[in-house]
Amino acid sequence: MHAARTETPARDFETRARTDARHDRIFHGALKSCALLVLAALLGAALSMLWGGREVLFQHGFHFLTSSSWNPVTDDYGALAPVFGTLVTSLIALVLAVPLSFGIALFLTEIAPVWMRGPVGTAIELLAGIPSIIYGMWGLFIFVPFMARIEPALSSTLGQIPLIGKLFEGPPLGLGILTAGIVLAVMILPFISSVMREVFQTVPKRLKESAYALGSTTREVVWDIVLPYTRSAVIGGIFLGLGRALGETMAVTFVLGNSDNITSSLLMPGTSISSSIANEFNEAVGTHRSALIALGFLLFVVTFIVLLIARLMLRQLARREGN
Amino acid sequence: MNVRFPHKLQLFALATALALGLGTAHATDVTGAGSSFVYPVISKWSAAYAEKTGNHINYQSIGSGGGIAQIKAGTVDFGASDKPLDQATLAKFGLGQFPDVIGGIVPVLNVNGIPAGKLVLDGKTLAGIFLGKITRWNDPGIAALNPGMKLPDQKITVVHRSDGSGTTYNFTHYLSQVSPAWKSRAGVGTAVNWPAGIGGKGNEGVSAYVKQIRNSIGYVEYAYALQNHIGYAMMKNAAGNVVSPNTASFQAAAATADWKHARNFELLITNAPGTRAWPITATSWVIMYKQPRNLEHTRVVMDFFKWAYNHGQADARSLDYVPLPDSLVKQIEQYWQTQYKM
């Protein structure tokens, strides 16, 4: 009994160490395969879209990337109009949603009374859970008629300003690039603001309290303490929202007008990559289908470039902070 | 008590199993896929047909293009398309096709000051509007067709389909027949390069846009115009008469179209010659192998459509479809006898 007790621990340690090492290896392998699976799925999706779209992507050199005509009858396809629509609507959405989200998040973390923070925060997260088709229906049946009423006013006021007046010309249809951008802004608002709210909460209390103790105003605390501390996460949140805006399909299809043209006016109808695919894929055969798959590949590339820019911006910021 | 209950349950289960077993003993399940346009009427027909014969018709509404692909691949017993296959394709795959139901496409509009169903248009004017050449409602071309009507001096907004569809195929086919300008600028297709206007997804999308946008004009299936209470226009047909869209004028188009000379029923009945014919009438086709891969299934499909032609007319009318005229049904039955090796 006594001897056994002195012997077992040594053996135990050895076997224990061995099983631990094995378990670690298995765990390591399992985690690695999880990550590799994502990479494989991503690569598989990209390659299969490239393969599916090869007929159009490589047929006439860069014709697909530089042409703005989209003619299923003559099988002549160019991606410029959908790419333009995707980028412009997403840009409008960002321009509107980022300041708003910033305000919401700051109000909820810095200014709002404590009893209000929980319910409003939950409400924002619920907003993120609404399916995009609902936003589309709301956009079509409620927001489009509203826009049709205010668009004449936009044309007669903003439309008269020399340089930006061009953006607000055209018939008051109610639907178009501006409407799509605003609907998208409402859709990505909860994503950006909930990320911002989360990260603003991570700012250490002592930092903020020190600043207040030194006599800073709330604005100064926000600008000089909260924002620099959370900058990279805030940018991450913005790009999360942008990613969603770029790929959004149903809501945009309902309010964008689905017309293959590139115009300087935001009140005119346009088209986007995802809405073109959603609209036409069902009945597309042959080259037409290939062109739509190629569009999907372009969306992939556009999203990748956007993420790349985000990365570069973050690195730039980190370097500047380092100085 | 608690012994009897399970007994009852068992008995019930046995009875159900027996009933189902007997019911399906000689029943055949056939599958079809394609056109979403015919889906409502085929599902209504198949429910009634299953009640009568026990045979089930499973129809998937995946779009005409998908239906053609599926029948070519042989994964379904029949395909349905709003666009006929050409002779070369039919011959290559050994396929045959025949019409199943008629639908009408109507120009719908929402213009203050123009009462519903009163405006008269002709093919040239309609093409001009969709080409973006006629841009105002008080255009002389429209005024000439509507003497005495006070037309508003408002800009026309054109609404077309944004998705590929058989409706667009038939509509553009009509415009191409009556307007050389349309034929060279846009052509015929399930989706075309639209010279003007905005696109709505599906018949419901076009209906919604037309209802919301003042001074707009679009085109939808007749049923959507009725169900959404949108004002439609009358058309001047090939014979020069002004006709309203209704069952009679759609049937007149189908009856007067030149089916006799159309091999394998490859004929679009737009701009039909009849004096009362609605000019933008469309049919939908059933596509099947002439040399059946599964004889029993093919027999059931034919029996189903034969039943539908003869007994499904009320069902079709209740959904605002138009049954085929008798003369055409006779030709189809003849076609079955001569072309299909049963």
Side-chain angles (χ1 to χ4, degrees), chain B residues 156-177:
Chain B
I156 300 174
T157 299
V158 169
V159 183
H160 54 73
R161 288 282 289 269
S162 62
D163 50 336
S165 85
T167 312
T168 298
Y169 186 80
N170 281 287
F171 186 72
T172 52
H173 184 264
Y174 171 64
L175 294 187
S176 290
Q177 276 187 305

Side-chain angles (χ1 to χ4, degrees), chain B residues 53-74:
Chain B
T53 62
N55 295 329
H56 291 270
I57 313 289
N58 301 310
Y59 183 74
Q60 300 157 0
S61 162
I62 57 171
S64 299
I68 292 170
Q70 296 255 303
I71 189 69
K72 276 183 188 167

Side-chain angles (χ1 to χ4, degrees), chain A residues 70 140 175 254 257-258 269 279 283, chain B residues 63-65 162-163 193 199 209 212:
Chain A
W70 186 269
L140 178 57
L175 32 81
F254 273 83
N258 303 310
N279 271 320
E283 290 288 333
Chain B
S64 299
S162 62
D163 50 336
N193 182 254
Y209 282 174
Q212 284 185 12

Side-chain angles (χ1 to χ4, degrees), chain A:
Chain A
M1 193 75 179
H2 204 83
R5 205 183 261 172
T6 49
E7 244 180 53
T8 11
R11 242 203 341 255
D12 263 6
F13 277 138
E14 218 170 273
T15 40
R16 181 67 205 266
R18 238 178 292 141
T19 40
D20 276 0
R22 195 171 64 236
H23 285 175
D24 260 0
R25 268 202 308 280
I26 294 173
F27 189 59
H28 189 191
L31 290 187
K32 204 186 199 171
S33 56
C34 286
L36 285 179
L37 193 70
V38 172
L39 274 184
L42 197 70
L43 206 67
L47 285 179
S48 61
M49 279 195 283
L50 189 62
W51 181 251
R54 69 191 186 284
E55 199 184 321
V56 172
L57 274 173
F58 305 119
Q59 199 177 23
H60 306 294
F62 290 111
H63 178 77
F64 185 65
L65 300 178
T66 53
S67 158
S68 66
S69 83
W70 186 269
N71 194 338
V73 177
T74 56
D75 272 340
D76 173 28
Y77 302 102
L80 226 48
V83 170
F84 171 82
T86 298
L87 290 178
V88 172
T89 50
S90 300
L91 190 72
I92 294 172
L94 269 195
V95 165
L96 295 173
V98 168
L100 266 176
S101 312
F102 191 64
I104 292 170
L106 276 181
F107 177 74
L108 285 180
T109 51
E110 304 296 325
I111 294 162
V114 177
W115 61 266
M116 218 178 143
R117 299 182 183 185
V120 176
T122 312
I124 291 171
E125 270 150 29
L126 277 178
L127 211 58
I130 297 176
S132 63
I133 184 88
I134 303 291
Y135 281 105
M137 303 299 264
W138 168 78
L140 178 57
F141 290 110
I142 295 165
F143 192 61
V144 166
F146 171 76
M147 285 299 284
R149 272 209 306 281
I150 65 161
E151 275 177 6
L154 277 182
S155 303
S156 61
T157 52
L158 291 173
Q160 304 305 315
I161 304 170
L163 215 53
I164 63 165
K166 277 238 173 310
L167 296 177
F168 299 98
E169 282 173 348
L173 297 171
L175 32 81
I177 291 173
L178 181 65
T179 311
I182 296 175
V183 171
L184 274 182
V186 178
M187 293 182 71
I188 64 174
L189 190 81
F191 287 88
I192 303 180
S193 58
S194 62
V195 168
M196 282 186 177
R197 192 174 67 101
E198 294 290 327
V199 300
F200 287 170
Q201 278 169 348
T202 64
V203 178
K205 264 217 163 71
R206 57 191 159 78
L207 278 185
K208 288 194 279 185
E209 276 164 8
S210 311
Y212 281 123
L214 288 171
S216 305
T217 61
T218 312
R219 193 193 61 82
E220 283 166 338
V221 170
V222 166
W223 216 247
D224 298 328
I225 308 290
V226 174
L227 209 54
Y229 190 85
T230 56
R231 188 145 45 193
S232 59
V234 165
I235 292 181
I238 292 174
F239 277 90
L240 187 74
L242 180 58
R244 183 171 159 111
L246 286 172
E248 177 47 45
T249 311
M250 276 331 283
V252 172
T253 307
F254 273 83
V255 298
L256 188 52
N258 303 310
S259 172
D260 292 300
N261 54 24
I262 299 177
T263 59
S264 59
S265 169
L266 301 181
L267 305 187
M268 292 297 279
T271 185
S272 81
I273 295 179
S274 50
S275 72
S276 288
I277 297 173
N279 271 320
E280 295 175 28
F281 202 77
N282 221 15
E283 290 288 333
V285 284
T287 317
H288 192 188
R289 174 159 289 213
S290 174
L292 290 171
I293 296 172
L295 265 191
F297 182 73
L298 271 193
L299 182 61
F300 205 82
V301 173
V302 167
T303 315
F304 184 73
I305 291 173
V306 164
L307 289 178
L308 206 67
I309 293 172
R311 277 286 154 81
L312 288 177
M313 274 173 76
L314 283 178
R315 192 176 292 173
Q316 202 78 9
L317 276 177
R319 200 175 295 157
R320 238 194 299 161
E321 269 158 23
N323 290 345

